[in-house]
Amino acid sequence: EFDGAAKETAITTTAETWQIDFTARLSGMDDMQRLINTDSYGEAAFFDDGFAVVRQGEKYLVKKGLAYVGGLRGVLEFDQTLNAMRNTRVYADFSYQGNLVSQWKTVVKITAANDLKNSVDAAGYLHYVFSIASIDSNGNVTDLRSKGTLSDRDIATMKQEMGKVKQDYATQQALKSGLDEKQPKGDYATQQALKNGLDGKQPKGDYATNATVNGKLDKAAIAPRTGQNSSLVMSQKAVTDALAGKQAAGNYATNESVGNKLRFKANIEPKELNGSTLISEQLMNGFGVAIRGSLPIPADAPPVDGAIKVVQIGNNVWPTLLAFSAYENKMFIRTRKAWAGAWNDWLDITDYVTNSSLSSSLSVKLDKSSVIYATGSSATHVMSQKAVTDRLMGINQSWRDVTRSRSLGSTYTNLSEKALSFIVTASSSDEGCSVGASVNGIENPGTFNYRGNAVSSSVLMIVPPGSSYSARISSGEGKLIKWLELI
């Protein structure tokens, strides 16, 4: 927009007849996508350990990750640390922010409050909030996250209900059948059937009656065990023992006799291996693979000053490699980290043969558990390269214009684990002004600009992690025109 355009171009048609405002349409499209996401993810959805609140002494770590809140897809780029808290809740705050000439994106904040509702901020942005954890009076954390999509939750509920039904069915079936835990599955005669002597519910067939049994059965026809003879009958004890799973006395194979037989049959003899044939073919009948290095020193062999042979055990996608140094009397081993994945580092096995060598090596080697990500006061732990890099000011940070979400006189908190810096610029159309800034109550009054007519005045300060900061007109009269942060 500029003055005199209509006159210079001789245009007399009013702008209202040809200008079209697409902002309402674009806002409607954004909200439609948000509602579609809500149909799939509900009010909120979190994945794996993203946004999980973990207590670390008197501090609380909010883990980075992906989530949907109010239909907005947002990512917490870095783990965030909150100070000691009691009797409160931790909320994930998602808002969709941007302007006509910028890229819109979801802004994610972590806020601790007793009760937080969806709201509209001073810049007109709608904030959707969801409680991810509650902290009681003792500092204990209760996870309140909704995990996975709505369909994932429905499937989990269905599996849980099916498990209950299956368990209940098994209990009723056991009661109905009268079988205890020791009774194997099968088709057994019930106690009632045995008591009645196979009553009228007996399947049709040619069976001995009470009369014929009493008159014709000889004691020699009573067998003491189970078998296949159709002219013998089993004694009451044999039937009872069989129903109870007991084996009648006899010449049966026992664990001891089987073991003895195996010891007599086992015959492992020394065997001289053929160097031109796969070891697996000679020792394990094709199970596993063993190869020798085709070159004196393979390209990825351990660093040794001499010839080396490599033996592979197992298939190619998940083998174990053994390397033998011909000149240095050393042996190395390595395995894959995953199926067909990257290799672990070569481990020099000869360094750990004796207790003395093991103790000596441990005294100079750093255990992996000593490498930590967080800052602290330990004299025995070391910080990883990534932990140090992530906390260096200016690394993986960029200047951002946050003017629309900041106001003079308001106090803000640096919730990240890295220091940030901010520059605030104000202007005065009267007699001038100065911009003052504060970090944790330490004031910087700024420099007064005595000239008016929109001449600006600026102030710069650095905010450590967890510190509060604010800006104001420390003298004179002026208004905020720019607020920049290195985050």
Side-chain angles (χ1 to χ4, degrees), residues 11 23 30 48 71 91 95 114 178 196 201 205 214 228 252 338 364 371 380 383 470:
I11 296 176
T23 56
D30 289 341
D48 300 325
Y91 288 85
S95 60
N114 290 329
N196 294 338
K201 296 181 181 179
N214 290 334
Q228 303 297 321
Y252 301 102
V364 297
V371 181
T380 59
M383 289 180 62
S470 62

Side-chain angles (χ1 to χ4, degrees), residues 320-452:
T320 297
L321 293 186
L322 296 175
F324 301 89
S325 171
Y327 297 154
E328 297 186 1
N329 294 330
K330 288 188 175 183
M331 183 170 67
F332 306 83
I333 188 173
R334 72 173 180 178
T335 56
R336 290 190 189 275
K337 295 180 178 179
W339 184 271
W343 289 99
N344 290 302
D345 294 335
W346 282 102
L347 176 64
D348 187 350
I349 300 178
T350 52
D351 281 347
Y352 306 97
V353 174
T354 64
N355 289 337
S356 59
S357 62
L358 177 60
S359 301
S360 175
S361 297
L362 290 178
S363 65
V364 297
K365 293 182 182 294
L366 181 66
D367 189 85
K368 289 184 178 180
S369 62
S370 298
V371 181
I372 59 177
Y373 180 83
T375 58
S377 57
S378 173
T380 59
H381 290 90
V382 295
M383 289 180 62
S384 66
Q385 181 187 46
K386 186 176 187 304
V388 176
T389 302
D390 287 348
R391 287 161 177 79
L392 291 178
M393 185 173 180
I395 303 299
N396 296 328
Q397 289 181 307
S398 59
W399 283 104
R400 301 183 186 179
D401 187 345
V402 295
T403 307
R404 297 190 61 176
S405 59
R406 297 289 187 265
S407 60
L408 296 175
S410 297
T411 300
Y412 305 96
T413 303
N414 179 11
L415 297 177
S416 71
E417 295 184 352
K418 299 180 65 170
L420 65 81
S421 60
F422 69 104
I423 298 176
V424 179
T425 304
S427 65
S428 173
S429 59
D430 296 323
E431 296 302 324
C433 68
S434 63
V435 179
S438 172
V439 175
N440 286 340
I442 305 301
E443 295 282 348
N444 177 9
T447 302
F448 189 85
N449 190 333
Y450 290 95
R451 298 180 61 186

Side-chain angles (χ1 to χ4, degrees), residues 25 52 61 74 91 126 166 178 212 251 255 270 280 326 386 396 424 453 473 484:
R25 175 69 185 277
L61 179 69
Y91 288 85
L126 181 57
K166 182 177 180 181
T212 59
N251 186 22
N255 289 340
S280 61
K386 186 176 187 304
N396 296 328
V424 179
N453 298 325
I473 302 298
L484 303 177

Side-chain angles (χ1 to χ4, degrees), residues 178-304:
L179 299 176
D180 59 21
E181 296 179 355
K182 298 179 181 179
Q183 181 68 40
K185 182 179 181 181
D187 185 15
Y188 299 94
T190 64
Q191 184 180 17
Q192 186 63 39
L194 292 175
K195 183 178 180 180
N196 294 338
L198 303 176
D199 59 13
K201 296 181 181 179
Q202 176 86 7
K204 185 178 180 181
D206 187 12
Y207 301 98
T209 64
N210 289 338
T212 59
V213 171
N214 290 334
K216 297 181 179 181
L217 182 63
D218 188 86
K219 291 184 178 180
I222 302 176
R225 63 178 65 86
T226 57
Q228 303 297 321
N229 194 312
S230 59
S231 62
L232 299 177
V233 295
M234 290 178 62
S235 67
Q236 182 188 42
K237 183 178 186 306
V239 173
T240 303
D241 289 345
L243 291 176
K246 296 181 178 179
Q247 182 66 50
N251 186 22
Y252 301 102
T254 64
N255 289 340
E256 182 177 357
S257 63
V258 172
N260 291 331
K261 292 291 184 181
L262 290 176
R263 282 193 291 273
F264 289 134
K265 294 294 183 181
N267 185 16
I268 301 176
E269 300 177 354
K271 186 175 183 180
E272 183 176 350
L273 299 177
N274 183 352
S276 62
T277 306
L278 290 178
I279 295 176
S280 61
E281 294 293 341
Q282 301 176 66
L283 292 183
M284 296 178 284
N285 195 24
F287 177 77
V289 178
I291 61 174
R292 295 188 301 170
S294 58
L295 297 176
I297 300 182
D300 61 346
V304 296

